[in-house]
Amino acid sequence: MVTALGKRIGLLGGSFNPAHEGHLYISQVAIAELGLDAVWWLVAPKNPLKEKTSLASFKERLTGAKEMTAGNPIEVLDLEQTEGLFYTIDTVHFLPENFPDYSFVWLMGADCFLELPAWKSWQEIMAEIPIAVFPRPGFTKNALSGIAATTFQKNRLKGTEAKNLVVTKPAAWVYIDCKENPISATKIREGRS
């Protein structure tokens, strides 16, 4: 199942509907800025916060993600599908129990960080796994002053400490100040990429 070399792993979860260059860009930046050995893309069977009407089949999304990551230190996993993990908090509990020798950090765009308080057990997620937040056009400023950011302000690392995030005891998070990538799966599905 998992073949990634090294044990400092970034986790990028999502529906990947479809996988695109923005996902790849965040993964590559995360590897460089956080000192990761690899990134695991966790393709979700479904997103509890999104409508299912425009969701491609799981197999199509998994295949597209594998094609997008070819030649990169990124592993595409169907873990949430095969293990029946529906919510992020379930995945956050599953991984350290099943990969005890690995250190994990959750990767998310500012759009997801802004909506994090709508996620099931969001404060527990923050308390269980370090999080790296990446800029997203139209969301970054609000995300960095939103509920998650202000609730966990004292747990925010400076950008210069980013390489320590994966081994920092949660709750811990950092904002990675890199180029905003305007690509989104919604725009791609709507033919506006």
Side-chain angles (χ1 to χ4, degrees), residues 41-127:
W41 284 11
L42 306 175
V43 181
K46 50 190 153 186
N47 183 328
L49 297 177
K50 293 183 180 176
E51 291 185 36
K52 300 171 186 109
T53 53
S54 61
L55 192 63
S57 77
F58 182 77
K59 184 178 178 183
E60 287 175 278
R61 294 182 288 116
L62 192 68
T63 300
K66 287 179 179 180
E67 289 170 358
M68 179 63 61
T69 60
N72 287 279
I74 300 168
E75 185 139 3
V76 178
L77 302 176
D78 61 358
L79 196 66
E80 294 181 334
Q81 171 85 355
T82 58
E83 297 297 330
L85 306 170
F86 188 65
Y87 294 103
T88 299
I89 190 62
D90 301 329
T91 304
V92 166
H93 287 153
F94 175 87
L95 288 169
E97 291 169 6
N98 290 275
F99 299 94
D101 297 332
Y102 287 65
S103 296
F104 296 105
V105 57
W106 199 271
L107 313 176
M108 66 172 58
D111 51 338
C112 291
F113 194 57
L114 182 61
E115 74 173 13
L116 185 62
W119 295 19
K120 180 181 181 191
S121 305
W122 77 273
Q123 291 185 336
E124 188 178 349
I125 293 169
M126 291 288 298

Side-chain angles (χ1 to χ4, degrees), residues 94-177:
F94 175 87
L95 288 169
E97 291 169 6
N98 290 275
F99 299 94
D101 297 332
Y102 287 65
S103 296
F104 296 105
V105 57
W106 199 271
L107 313 176
M108 66 172 58
D111 51 338
C112 291
F113 194 57
L114 182 61
E115 74 173 13
L116 185 62
W119 295 19
K120 180 181 181 191
S121 305
W122 77 273
Q123 291 185 336
E124 188 178 349
I125 293 169
M126 291 288 298
E128 293 287 330
I129 189 166
I131 295 177
V133 179
F134 296 82
R136 294 287 290 137
F139 294 98
T140 303
K141 183 178 177 184
N142 288 339
L144 296 179
S145 61
I147 294 171
T150 55
T151 301
F152 289 92
Q153 183 59 41
K154 67 180 173 77
N155 305 98
R156 181 177 176 180
L157 276 63
K158 296 176 185 167
T160 55
E161 301 172 302
K163 282 196 173 26
N164 297 326
L165 181 66
V166 73
V167 292
T168 300
K169 186 177 185 301
W173 68 281
V174 69
Y175 171 69
I176 303 297
D177 191 11

